[in-house]
Amino acid sequence: MLGPSLSQGPKTDSIAFVIEAAAEQGAGLKALSAKGNVLKWSDYCLPLACSPGRPFRVVAEASVDNFSRLGVAFMEDRLWLDNGLVPEKIVSVLLRESTLKAFAGRSVLIRGAQAETRSLELQEPPEDRSLFQSPCRASEEGTGAAIGSASGQDRGCPPADAAAADAGLDGRRRMGAGEQHAEGCHLHLSSCHECLELESSTILSVKFASMENIPDLPDDYEGGRGESGGRSVPGQGRRFNQKPPNVLVYTGGCQERFKHVHALLAECINTDSYVLYPLRPQQVLSEPWLDSTLLLVLAEEEPLTAQHHERFLAYLERGGKLLGLCSSFCAAGLSLAPGPDRRNGVCQLVFTRADCTEVELSALASGHVFVRGDSPAEMWGELRGGSGGMAVVRMTHGDNGGEAVLCQVHLEAAPDSHDVTSPQDFDELKASNALRYEVLSEILSCLGLSCERSHVPPPSPIYVLSSSEECRRCFLEWLQTQVGQGGVLRASRISLKVLPGVESPGALPGGTLALVTQPPQRLPPQFSLETYSLHLRTRTLGRCVLFAETTPSTMDLLEGLMLQLPQEVGLIAIAARQTEGRGRAGNAWLSPLGCAMFTVHMRVPVSSRLGQSIPFLQHLAALAVVEAVRTLPGYEEIDLTVKWPNDIYYGSLMKLGGVLVNSTLMGATFHLLIGCGFNVSNSNPTICINDLVERQNRQRGSALEPLDTSLLIARSVSLLEDLIASFQDGGPQAVLPLYYKRWVHSGTQVRLQSEDGPQVEVVGLDDNGFLQVRSAELGVVSVHPDGNSFDMLRNLVVTKQR
C-alpha cells in the first residue's frame, strides 16, 4: 500500500491533496483507453475520504514522487479514478494531524483496486434503519475531520441548520447534529444503508467514504447538462451526473421482486461502478435519498400514493434519472389508459434505437399504454398489432436535467417468470431474451449509466488434474521433455510457464500462462474433480485434465501441444470462463460462468472409417452433448437437439451450444482438437439446459435437480468416445439413426443459394457428414457446411459470399 499509515500521522515527505472529478464516465473512459498507459490513481496514493456530490471530490495522501507521477498523468490526460470518473482538478491541501487520528480511530479505509482492505466492526443496527445517514460533526475534543484549504483557512463542520447547509452547498442537503448516528461520531460511508445491509461484521470492500467538509476547489466547472434535443448516448459529449453511484429500486416493499430486478440490472450495468439498493416505502418520505441517488428504478405496478408520486417528481426536479418498469408514475401531461393486450400476456414491442433503427421483440404486457396529452414526451416504443399504443416513452422534468424513461412492458420479467404460464409464451419470450437485454441496456445507457462490462479477469493458473495417477504421471514425464529454458513451454498462440508447486507465479510476460503441476488445495465451485471423475467412463479421452478458472481459450491451451502429445494421455482442457472463446468461421463465442467449456485431444488414423469422414466428428460431438442430458433417468424429454452442422439447440428455436473441430494431418494420422461449449446454468442472455429442466418441472410437476457442468462434461466426453468407437466399427450407419432421432431437419423445406433458388427437402447426411437435399429437378445433392450456413428462421441454405 502506497502512502503513510493512518496511525502515524502525516509524514514530512508526503503530500495531501484533493482531487475533483466531473467528467462523464462513458466518454472519459473511452478517451482514456484510446491514450493507453492509463494510471489508476489509487495505486499511487492513500485515499482517505470522499465527497460523492457534485462534483465528486476525494482527499488522499501520496509521497512526493507518487504525487509527481499523478500530476504528470493528470497533465497528459492519463489519470483515472477507480469509479470510472476522469479528474479535472488536483489541489494540494494542509491536512491536520487530528484528522488522521480521527480516521485511524474509526478503522475505515477506502479500498483502491489493488489496495488492502481493512475490516470495520459494525454494531447491530437498530430496527429503524436509515437509508442515508449524515456525516458526523467534529467532536468536542477537536478530533473532527477538519481540512485546511490550500490557503490555510479551516472549513468548519456542517451547520446544524438545514437551510444554512443548503445555502452553503449548492442546494445539496446537509444534516446536522440532530440526525447523527446514535452511537457517536463515525466516519460516514457513501451510504450507511450499505453498512447496515452487510450480512457479516467485516466490510469486504469499502468503495466510498464520504466527508462533507472537503474543501471546495476553485469553481471553473459548469456541471449538469443542457437542454437535450435528442437522445443522448454515452460517449457523445453528455456530462455525467455527479451523484454517488447509488441505484435505488422501488418495488413497493416486495423483496422477491427486488431480487429479480437487482439480478437483471446487475447483468446490464457495470457493477464495479454502481451499488444497487432497495428503496422501501417507509424510506421514500423520510430519508434524504434524493440527492444521493444516481438512478431511481420504479418496478411496482400498484398505484403510487400521492405523497410518493410527489416525492418522485421532486427527485426529477433536482436533476434525477428515473426508469419506470410498468409503474403508474407519470409526469404532467402524461397518463395511462387500458392497452390492447391483456395484463401479463405476450405482446410485440417495436423499440426505436438511438440510431433510429427499429427492433421488434416479445415481452409481457402490463395491460396499459401511455397517453401523451399535452406532454412533450418522446415515444421510444409502441405495441404492434391491434390499436397499438405508446409502451416506452422518454420525458424530461424540471430545469435541472431531470429525465425519465417509462415502460409499460415488463422488460424486467424473465421468460421463466411465474407470470409466464404457457410453453408457447416461454418459447416466444426466450427467443426475444437477448433483444430484451439489448433494449434495457440502451435505456440505461441513455440515462447515464455505463453498461460496458468493465473488467476482463486476468488468466488464472492452469492446474494438472487427473483421476488416474498413471495418466497424470505420463503427462508430467512428457512435459519434462518439452520445456525449454526457464521452464517455459512455447506453443503457437501462448506459452506455458511450468511451476512445480502451487506458489504464486508472480508477474509473467504477455501471452504466458502459469501451468502448475500440483493440484490446488481447493478448486473453484464451478468445477468438481470428484464429480467429473465419478461420471467419466472412458478408456482414453479426458483422463488427464488441464483446468483453469479463467483462460483465453481452451483450444489455445492444447493447440501447440497436440502434435507431440502421447495418445495415451487423453488430455482435456476445461475452463470455468473463457475470455477469447472461438466459434466456427472465426466467430466469437461468449463464455460466461455457467457454461461448460472444454477442448479434448485425440488422434484418428487416416485409413480408418472416421479418418475417411472427418467432418462427421463435429456431428458426433454435438450428438454426445445432447445424449449426455437425454440419457439421464428423468431427463429423457428435455428438448435438446442437434442442428447441422455443429450446433446444439433448444428444439428448433435457439442455440445453446456449439462444437469446433481443428484438425492437422501429419503423415497417416489426423491430430484433432474438439472444442465444445454449451450453456448449463447461465440463463441469460439466451437459454441454458437448466432452464429446460426447470420448465419441465413446472409443466409436469417433477422435481428434477439442476445439472452440473462437471457431470455433463464427463458424460459428453464418455459418450463421444462411445460414438467414435461405434463409427469406427460400423461406419455412418452405426450412428445415423440416433443422430436423426435428435436432429431438427427431417422433412424441412429449404431453398438453395437464395430466397429465389430451387426449393428442396432435407433428407439426411451423406457418407462424409455433409447435408443431403432432394428436389425434382436436381435429385439428391450434398451441401457443404464450409460453403453454406443454415438459416433456421427463414428456412434457407444461404451460400456465403467468398
Side-chain angles (χ1 to χ4, degrees), residues 517-559:
T517 59
Q518 295 296 322
Q521 292 183 345
R522 179 180 299 175
L523 288 168
Q526 291 83 18
F527 180 73
S528 167
L529 181 61
E530 181 180 0
T531 300
Y532 177 82
S533 302
L534 181 65
H535 293 89
L536 186 72
R537 48 177 182 78
T538 61
R539 294 174 295 278
T540 303
L541 293 186
R543 304 301 295 182
C544 186
V545 179
L546 298 184
F547 174 77
E549 185 172 3
T550 302
T551 198
S553 165
T554 56
M555 188 75 73
D556 289 349
L557 293 183
L558 301 189
E559 200 163 45

Side-chain angles (χ1 to χ4, degrees), residues 679-712:
N679 302 335
V680 178
S681 58
N682 54 312
S683 296
N684 297 311
T686 55
I687 197 169
C688 69
I689 290 172
N690 283 335
D691 284 339
L692 307 183
V693 174
E694 183 179 350
R695 179 173 179 266
Q696 178 165 310
N697 285 340
R698 292 172 61 182
Q699 288 181 352
R700 305 190 178 189
S702 54
L704 298 177
E705 292 292 328
L707 295 175
D708 176 76
T709 55
S710 305
L711 176 149
L712 290 181

Side-chain angles (χ1 to χ4, degrees), residues 279-400:
L279 177 64
R280 298 179 176 86
Q282 64 270 24
Q283 296 168 328
V284 173
L285 301 178
S286 61
E287 302 293 344
W289 57 269
L290 275 72
D291 294 308
S292 302
T293 300
L294 185 64
L295 176 70
L296 173 65
V297 180
L298 301 182
E300 168 59 271
E301 286 189 275
E302 294 299 319
L304 297 171
T305 66
Q307 294 90 341
H308 285 181
H309 193 277
E310 287 300 317
R311 186 73 161 171
F312 297 148
L313 278 177
Y315 169 69
L316 283 179
E317 288 172 356
R318 296 189 184 207
K321 310 296 178 185
L322 187 148
L323 171 62
L325 298 173
C326 296
S327 167
S328 65
F329 177 82
C330 289
L334 198 66
S335 60
L336 290 176
D341 298 287
R342 64 178 176 84
R343 183 174 180 267
N344 292 330
V346 176
C347 65
Q348 297 303 307
L349 172 69
V350 180
F351 180 81
T352 304
R353 299 186 180 99
D355 60 4
C356 296
T357 60
E358 292 184 347
V359 58
E360 184 171 347
L361 64 149
S362 300
L364 288 183
S366 70
H368 294 91
V369 292
F370 293 106
V371 178
R372 187 156 24 201
D374 59 354
S375 169
E378 306 168 13
M379 182 174 73
W380 282 10
E382 63 179 329
L383 300 180
R384 172 150 293 178
S387 58
M390 293 197 303
V392 182
V393 298
R394 181 257 184 186
M395 50 162 288
T396 59
H397 188 77
D399 299 325
N400 296 309

Side-chain angles (χ1 to χ4, degrees), residues 137-405:
R137 296 170 57 89
S139 69
E140 295 292 336
E141 290 78 9
T143 58
I147 298 178
S149 67
S151 62
Q153 180 182 1
D154 289 343
R155 295 181 58 86
C157 295
D161 180 68
D166 286 346
L169 279 173
D170 301 326
R172 288 184 288 124
R173 179 169 178 173
R174 301 277 301 268
M175 301 174 61
E179 296 171 282
Q180 296 173 10
H181 287 279
E183 295 82 10
C185 183
H186 295 281
L187 183 64
H188 176 58
L189 299 177
S190 64
S191 110
C192 289
H193 179 72
E194 178 181 353
C195 301
L196 298 175
E197 288 295 306
L198 289 173
E199 296 179 355
S200 68
S201 62
T202 300
I203 292 184
L204 298 178
S205 175
V206 183
K207 290 186 176 179
F208 303 94
S210 68
M211 188 168 59
E212 294 280 353
N213 55 339
I214 292 176
D216 293 323
L217 300 185
D219 187 12
D220 60 4
Y221 166 68
E222 295 180 3
R225 56 178 280 230
E227 294 296 325
S228 174
R231 191 181 310 191
S232 298
V233 294
Q236 294 183 357
R238 173 174 163 181
R239 281 286 191 183
F240 181 70
N241 188 353
Q242 290 300 314
K243 289 179 178 254
N246 300 319
V247 176
L248 298 192
V249 180
Y250 178 81
T251 59
C254 178
Q255 187 63 20
E256 190 67 24
R257 190 178 300 117
F258 170 75
K259 289 180 180 178
H260 289 311
V261 177
H262 181 286
L264 174 68
L265 294 176
E267 294 187 31
C268 291
I269 65 176
N270 180 351
T271 52
D272 290 336
S273 299
Y274 309 103
V275 188
L276 300 166
Y277 298 117
L279 177 64
R280 298 179 176 86
Q282 64 270 24
Q283 296 168 328
V284 173
L285 301 178
S286 61
E287 302 293 344
W289 57 269
L290 275 72
D291 294 308
S292 302
T293 300
L294 185 64
L295 176 70
L296 173 65
V297 180
L298 301 182
E300 168 59 271
E301 286 189 275
E302 294 299 319
L304 297 171
T305 66
Q307 294 90 341
H308 285 181
H309 193 277
E310 287 300 317
R311 186 73 161 171
F312 297 148
L313 278 177
Y315 169 69
L316 283 179
E317 288 172 356
R318 296 189 184 207
K321 310 296 178 185
L322 187 148
L323 171 62
L325 298 173
C326 296
S327 167
S328 65
F329 177 82
C330 289
L334 198 66
S335 60
L336 290 176
D341 298 287
R342 64 178 176 84
R343 183 174 180 267
N344 292 330
V346 176
C347 65
Q348 297 303 307
L349 172 69
V350 180
F351 180 81
T352 304
R353 299 186 180 99
D355 60 4
C356 296
T357 60
E358 292 184 347
V359 58
E360 184 171 347
L361 64 149
S362 300
L364 288 183
S366 70
H368 294 91
V369 292
F370 293 106
V371 178
R372 187 156 24 201
D374 59 354
S375 169
E378 306 168 13
M379 182 174 73
W380 282 10
E382 63 179 329
L383 300 180
R384 172 150 293 178
S387 58
M390 293 197 303
V392 182
V393 298
R394 181 257 184 186
M395 50 162 288
T396 59
H397 188 77
D399 299 325
N400 296 309
E403 181 181 10
V405 176

Side-chain angles (χ1 to χ4, degrees), residues 13-24:
D13 60 348
S14 64
I15 297 176
F17 61 95
V18 177
I19 188 168
E20 177 180 297
E24 175 194 358

Side-chain angles (χ1 to χ4, degrees), residues 696-734:
Q696 178 165 310
N697 285 340
R698 292 172 61 182
Q699 288 181 352
R700 305 190 178 189
S702 54
L704 298 177
E705 292 292 328
L707 295 175
D708 176 76
T709 55
S710 305
L711 176 149
L712 290 181
I713 292 174
R715 287 182 55 82
S716 298
V717 173
S718 300
L719 286 164
L720 175 60
E721 189 175 83
D722 291 343
L723 289 169
I724 290 172
S726 297
F727 193 100
Q728 295 287 42
D729 290 341
Q733 299 309 315

